[in-house]
Amino acid sequence: MLPYIIACIVLTSTVAAQQPAWAQCGGQGHTGDVSCISGCTCVSLNDYYSQCQASSTTLSTVTVTTAHTAPAATSSTVTIAGEFQYLGRVNPATRELSWPGAGLAFNFTGTSASISISAVSGSVSADLSIDGAEPIVIPNVEGTSISTPQGLTLGVHTVVLRKRSEPEYGSVIIGNVTVDGILGAYAVPTRRIEIIGDSISVGYGLDGTNPCTNNASVENNPKTYGALAAKALGAEYSTVAWSGKGLVRNIAIGAPDTSPLMPELYTRYGANDADSSYTFPAATAPNAVVINLGTNDFSYIAYTSSGEPYNAREPINASTFTAGMVSFVQNIQTHYPDAHFFLLNSPMLSDYWPTAADAQKSTQTSAIKAAITQLGGSNIHFVDWPTQGSDVGCDYHPNADTHAAEGTVLAEAIGTALNW
């Protein structure tokens, strides 16, 4: 039993050359019908996708029984599993939001919606966005559900939930979506960008002002350079990033870090899944792959408990970094042969620290360009991210302004290369 029914019921046997409810009816590149069946309106969700949706005036309080509909959870709500869209890398078998930026989205017609939570491990922060408005920040996800705020008008709404924090702090396993009306499909942009990186790509300390201690609540992946570039280009994005990770060696803090490197973690579906568990589904293959690794590879200074620096290991051999980049890109190319690659240098490296002789910024830049030369082809691009200024987030990580500036640069580079 459903408490509401949309008046634009599909009547394909009597209506010709019109799109049914929730079908695509427009957008750049759309070649199908642009009109909707009676009672539905073609609504633009973005430049690339318009959808036949019902307005609030087409709702009726008639109760209808159908064998194709889930049973009502209460007299005023219906719970439907699976009719939402995962964002980023989310293993549908586990429903675990682990990678930063991972989440889900859906449309619904009604006044309220709720996402049930099956479990939370550690600390997780998230953004909940309603109808594209400024997101509601959830600094610590807890309880059994995340719900839309009260007071939504009766009509069609879009809900987007994205994880702000990284897997190191925790993850959340979601359950079903409950709405007080009709749950509809969410149109994911056909343009796709994948961002691979470390704490910079995570959004580590982005909402803090140094000196401050990083934690899940001040990490903000949806405000990172990659997410902002994707938004500017009308693209969906997926972030595979973990603080402290490197291309050929992880950060050293007092002792060598022997945990998995990013090329190994990259093969995981969810961040906590087994190695080589990701299936690289063709439907979500990215057009652009962004790699921002090297800050932790080049790091070799550690600190004592009193804050005094000391040499924890030898500086990296630049040719080792180049070889690692070539190998990593070539491996990804086996899965995404048509993708363009955008290799970024680090805003946290400079030519003056720890020593001018190291010239780490220039050395890493040269190592990346050497990798591009070895890889060859016209689909590998270098994107310069200048050394950041003195205004920084926690632990000297890029703040929101620095991410925003680079997001503009990256969007221009991707847009030019892919003609977006």
Side-chain angles (χ1 to χ4, degrees):
M1 304 288 289
L2 283 177
Y4 296 106
I5 180 170
I6 293 189
C8 52
I9 299 297
V10 180
L11 299 173
T12 55
S13 61
T14 60
V15 179
Q18 290 182 316
Q19 297 289 60
W22 310 117
Q24 184 175 3
C25 55
Q28 293 183 19
H30 177 66
T31 58
D33 295 329
V34 295
S35 61
C36 301
I37 61 175
S38 177
C40 282
T41 301
C42 189
V43 177
S44 175
L45 301 180
N46 54 53
D47 291 341
Y48 312 98
Y49 197 96
S50 297
Q51 185 180 57
C52 289
Q53 296 183 355
S55 64
S56 59
T57 59
T58 65
L59 289 177
S60 170
T61 55
V62 176
T63 299
V64 176
T65 302
T66 170
H68 302 288
T69 307
T74 69
S75 60
S76 62
T77 63
V78 58
T79 301
I80 304 177
E83 294 193 12
F84 51 77
Q85 176 66 50
Y86 289 117
L87 304 176
R89 276 199 194 182
V90 182
N91 188 339
T94 64
R95 295 189 170 203
E96 182 180 17
L97 307 184
S98 53
W99 294 114
L104 65 130
F106 58 92
N107 290 327
F108 78 98
T109 304
T111 63
S112 65
S114 179
I115 304 165
S116 68
I117 298 174
S118 298
V120 179
S121 63
S123 299
V124 175
S125 65
D127 276 353
L128 181 68
S129 178
I130 312 297
D131 299 331
E134 189 68 18
I136 301 166
V137 177
I138 307 172
N140 185 32
V141 176
E142 55 186 354
T144 59
S145 66
I146 297 173
S147 301
T148 56
Q150 295 182 350
L152 292 182
T153 59
L154 183 63
V156 179
H157 300 284
T158 300
V159 179
V160 177
L161 176 71
R162 282 196 186 270
K163 191 168 180 278
R164 290 160 48 100
S165 54
E166 64 179 300
E168 180 177 355
Y169 285 113
S171 63
V172 55
I173 298 176
I174 60 170
N176 295 334
V177 169
T178 302
V179 300
D180 68 347
I182 301 295
L183 187 63
Y186 175 82
V188 179
T190 56
R191 297 176 174 181
R192 295 181 178 274
I193 300 173
E194 182 175 73
I195 301 100
I196 307 168
D198 49 34
S199 57
I200 297 171
S201 300
V202 162
Y204 180 110
L206 189 155
D207 281 345
T209 300
N210 201 62
C212 55
T213 301
N214 185 65
N215 55 63
S217 66
V218 296
E219 292 191 335
N220 192 345
N221 182 262
K223 285 293 182 71
T224 56
Y225 70 97
L228 295 177
K231 182 178 181 180
L233 292 168
E236 172 57 18
Y237 80 95
S238 175
T239 303
V240 183
W242 195 312
S243 292
K245 301 302 180 181
L247 183 65
V248 296
R249 65 180 189 177
N250 295 328
I251 195 170
I253 303 177
D257 183 344
T258 58
S259 61
L261 297 164
M262 184 46 66
E264 180 180 340
L265 294 172
Y266 178 74
T267 68
R268 298 180 180 181
Y269 212 139
N272 301 310
D273 290 348
D275 292 347
S276 302
S277 55
Y278 191 54
T279 58
F280 298 95
T284 57
N287 308 101
V289 177
V290 178
I291 301 177
N292 185 1
L293 291 169
T295 303
N296 299 308
D297 298 87
F298 279 80
S299 172
Y300 66 89
I301 298 292
Y303 294 88
T304 65
S305 58
S306 60
E308 296 298 321
Y310 69 94
N311 289 330
R313 58 183 177 180
E314 292 297 317
I316 191 172
N317 185 311
S319 62
T320 301
F321 183 81
T322 294
M325 182 66 76
V326 170
S327 176
F328 190 34
V329 171
Q330 288 176 335
N331 180 60
I332 300 174
Q333 286 176 323
T334 64
H335 302 290
Y336 307 133
D338 298 325
H340 279 248
F341 288 76
F342 299 84
L343 312 185
L344 279 63
N345 54 6
S346 172
M348 296 182 69
L349 297 179
S350 78
D351 282 348
Y352 307 103
W353 194 93
T355 70
D358 289 333
Q360 286 192 337
K361 182 70 171 183
S362 295
T363 302
Q364 189 212 15
T365 298
S366 296
I368 293 173
K369 290 182 176 179
I372 293 174
T373 299
Q374 292 182 32
L375 287 163
S378 60
N379 64 338
I380 314 291
H381 314 275
F382 171 71
V383 182
D384 182 37
W385 191 342
T387 299
Q388 62 188 353
S390 57
D391 293 332
V392 292
C394 298
D395 299 326
Y396 299 95
H397 281 69
N399 64 10
D401 289 341
T402 302
H403 275 280
E406 184 60 20
T408 300
V409 173
L410 179 60
E412 182 178 354
I414 295 175
T416 299
L418 277 66
N419 197 29
W420 284 358

